[in-house]
Amino acid sequence: MSKKKLNIVFLIAGSEPLGSAGMQADIKAVTACGGYAACALTGIVDEDTQRVKSVTPLPVDLVVSQADSFLGDVGAQCIKTGVLPTAEIIEGVAGVLKRYSEPKKVIDPVIVDSKGKQLVCDSSINAYKEKLFSLATLITPNRREAEVLLGHKIDDVESDVKELGKWGCSVIIKSIEEEGGMLSDVLYNAKTGNIRVFRKKRIATNNVNGTGDSFSSAIATYLAKGYELEEAVEKGEEFIGKAIALGAEYEFGHGYGPVHPCFMEDKATHERIYN
């Protein structure tokens, strides 16, 4: 009798003390969506709920060795990146993604904070463009990150999302503000050329730290489980919507708190998330 296989998402991400973003948020989201999370650590972020205080990168050789240790032995169905603090780490990670070409790859370009402050230097942004995006199945910038990558404000979102797909990757631009308190996520499928818009009502809460990490990790998990891109994004949207709604019910610190990925409150919900 053959043994079962895990739906593995290998995370290449940073650690932070709040448990609401970075590797910690990634692991929670992957687990909640029915995957198995493993991780190579890229750096240590010191932050509270109000601001990022510092980002300390780990040595590139150590980041790469962690990834090789897991992927060369166990393997994964999807690789997802989070914070990559330096251009050298981005280049090292690009080498890893080239060596392990079979897994799908979700690149979350963590380049600005929630207030739009740039977290990485220009050389890192260039390294994303020149080394990493061409290896991605999907990149997941939020609106502010997309504008940094584009070099201009989003004007025509359908044109802009296609422009970000020029490296051959699919793209979802997250959290574009619309009238009437609505937000939209705009997905460009590089394989089909299709554009889909996911609209949702903004939830009034400060507990949105790690939203992008959790959302991209959910998508990565459904890709690891064998879903096609658009269906994986649909399921990721359902997941993050419920995680934000539940997180809004809690008090956490004095600034931006976490979403709540563990909303499987009954058997029916549990079965829907895991199937």
Side-chain angles (χ1 to χ4, degrees):
M1 179 173 160
S2 60
K3 291 188 177 181
K4 298 178 181 180
K5 291 187 177 181
L6 294 165
N7 300 306
I8 297 172
V9 179
F10 188 71
L11 307 160
I12 305 177
S15 174
E16 55 82 54
L18 299 174
S20 57
M23 175 187 65
Q24 289 85 347
D26 292 330
I27 290 172
K28 292 172 186 177
V30 171
T31 304
C33 293
Y36 180 91
C39 184
L41 194 62
T42 62
I44 308 295
V45 178
D46 181 15
E47 66 177 5
D48 58 24
T49 61
Q50 300 174 79
R51 65 188 178 98
V52 174
K53 299 177 181 179
S54 67
V55 180
T56 303
L58 291 181
V60 178
D61 290 348
L62 178 58
V63 175
V64 170
S65 181
Q66 291 176 87
D68 282 332
S69 292
F70 187 87
L71 294 169
D73 181 11
V74 181
Q77 285 73 47
C78 190
I79 300 170
K80 184 258 176 181
T81 69
V83 65
L84 305 175
T86 66
E88 292 75 18
I89 287 176
I90 293 170
E91 292 176 12
V93 169
V96 170
L97 300 192
K98 288 178 181 177
R99 285 196 293 282
Y100 304 97
S101 58
E102 186 175 345
K104 294 182 173 67
K105 299 168 180 72
V106 176
I107 307 299
D108 186 12
V110 183
I111 57 178
V112 300
D113 65 15
S114 59
K115 296 179 180 178
K117 179 184 176 182
Q118 191 168 309
L119 295 173
V120 298
C121 62
D122 291 343
S123 62
S124 292
I125 294 171
N126 290 333
Y128 270 109
K129 295 176 180 179
E130 296 170 5
K131 305 290 185 180
L132 215 51
F133 288 163
S134 63
L135 304 172
T137 305
L138 175 71
I139 67 172
T140 63
N142 61 33
R143 175 182 59 83
R144 291 189 177 95
E145 290 162 342
E147 289 174 346
V148 171
L149 294 169
L150 289 164
H152 60 77
K153 296 287 186 182
I154 290 176
D155 180 26
D156 180 340
V157 67
E158 292 196 6
S159 175
D160 290 337
V161 75
K162 285 183 177 180
E163 183 178 343
L164 289 176
K166 65 185 177 183
W167 293 280
C169 52
S170 296
V171 183
I172 186 165
I173 301 178
K174 304 171 296 189
S175 301
I176 298 172
E177 296 180 2
E178 296 187 351
E179 294 180 357
M182 301 295 290
L183 296 173
S184 65
D185 299 335
V186 180
L187 172 67
Y188 166 64
N189 188 327
K191 283 188 176 181
T192 65
N194 189 38
I195 291 178
R196 288 189 60 183
V197 180
F198 298 87
R199 288 188 171 87
K200 52 211 174 181
K201 189 169 183 61
R202 180 193 290 275
I203 297 171
T205 177
N206 281 336
N207 289 347
V208 292
N209 189 35
T211 301
D213 301 327
S214 300
F215 180 45
S216 56
S217 289
I219 295 171
T221 306
Y222 290 115
L223 289 173
K225 295 172 79 169
Y227 289 91
E228 293 298 323
L229 177 65
E230 292 188 31
E231 191 172 7
V233 172
E234 283 180 5
K235 294 183 77 65
E237 290 280 0
E238 179 184 11
F239 166 82
I240 197 62
K242 291 184 176 181
I244 293 170
L246 183 56
E249 299 178 8
Y250 292 86
E251 180 180 344
F252 193 92
H254 298 90
Y256 292 93
V259 302
H260 199 311
C262 301
F263 53 77
M264 288 81 77
E265 68 279 359
D266 55 44
K267 183 177 180 181
T269 303
H270 186 277
E271 290 177 349
R272 184 174 70 253
I273 292 299
Y274 278 78
N275 293 334

